[in-house]
Amino acid sequence: MRPALPGVTARRLLVATVAFAPAAVRLMGGEGEVADGAVLYLRIGSLGLPFALIALSGQGFLRGVSDLRTPLLIVVVANAANVVLNVVFIYVFDWGLAGSAWGTVVAQAGMGAVSVANGDAHAALHLLEEAAHRVHVEARRVERRHEQRSFRHFHPGEDGDAAGEHAFEGLVAFRRRPRANDLAVLGDAELGPDAVPAGRGSGLSHVCPYV
């Protein structure tokens, strides 16, 4: 899963924030130097909006696949990185209020990138699981067709009637039983007291000579 950059929404949010930042600050009662600083912070911080949207999309995907731990880790690490970047940009680089805004933007960008990477990994794993399941289903289908052809070869007169179908199902169940070497590995305690060891002496060898 790759959360596509929400281009239209991100551009509209960026344009709206940059354009209406002064009006929004005045509406909230900001004046003078405080208003100038608030407008500067809003305009720089708006650059992180696309990354924040990507992060939200990626976290929603991860929660949708029942991965609740990874989104929490991403948020915690991103906030910790934001604190460190604010300290570096404000006090080391002496960027002031702009440094605080840039620290938030960088943290949001990292959070978005990690969310996309984790989403891609989960999507790739899901695709592999689906492919493996399809291969397994197809292999079982081929095996069943082979068993049906073999049964009809040895019992042509029973093909298609109820007794023949019943015998075929019994043959399939018998052939999928635990083998003698499996019994030796698993042990009587794991298989249970009703386990029947494999062999022609079990009474089902008359169903098909090749079992």
Side-chain angles (χ1 to χ4, degrees), residues 86-183:
N86 271 267
V87 172
V88 172
F89 290 165
I90 294 173
Y91 297 103
V92 177
F93 293 168
D94 198 21
W95 289 358
L97 189 60
S100 176
W102 279 114
T104 301
V105 171
V106 173
Q108 288 175 331
M111 185 166 58
V114 173
S115 297
V116 170
N118 277 276
D120 285 345
H122 277 77
L125 180 60
H126 179 68
L127 290 175
L128 288 175
E129 290 175 347
E130 281 190 347
H133 176 69
R134 290 172 184 168
V135 169
H136 174 72
V137 169
E138 184 61 27
R140 297 294 302 126
R141 187 177 296 126
V142 171
E143 180 183 355
R144 186 172 181 85
R145 285 200 299 264
H146 173 72
E147 290 171 342
Q148 287 175 334
R149 285 195 300 267
S150 299
F151 179 79
R152 290 166 185 167
H153 173 74
F154 287 101
H155 298 270
E158 299 177 358
D159 186 21
D161 59 12
E165 290 298 324
H166 180 72
F168 172 72
E169 294 298 334
L171 169 63
V172 172
F174 176 70
R175 285 178 57 80
R176 293 175 186 169
R177 74 200 185 287
R179 302 292 179 176
N181 56 345
D182 296 331
L183 294 174

Side-chain angles (χ1 to χ4, degrees), residues 45-87:
S46 64
L47 299 175
L49 287 175
F51 305 110
L53 293 177
I54 292 174
L56 289 174
S57 176
Q59 290 171 14
F61 172 81
L62 293 173
R63 287 193 293 268
V65 296
S66 301
D67 184 357
L68 304 179
R69 183 171 178 270
T70 302
L72 176 62
L73 289 176
I74 292 175
V75 171
V76 170
V77 172
N79 280 277
N82 191 14
V83 172
V84 174
L85 290 171
N86 271 267
V87 172

Side-chain angles (χ1 to χ4, degrees), residues 10 13-15 17-18 41-50 105 108:
L13 286 173
L14 283 171
V15 171
T17 303
V18 171
Y41 186 92
L42 283 174
R43 286 177 170 171
I44 295 175
S46 64
L47 299 175
L49 287 175
V105 171
Q108 288 175 331

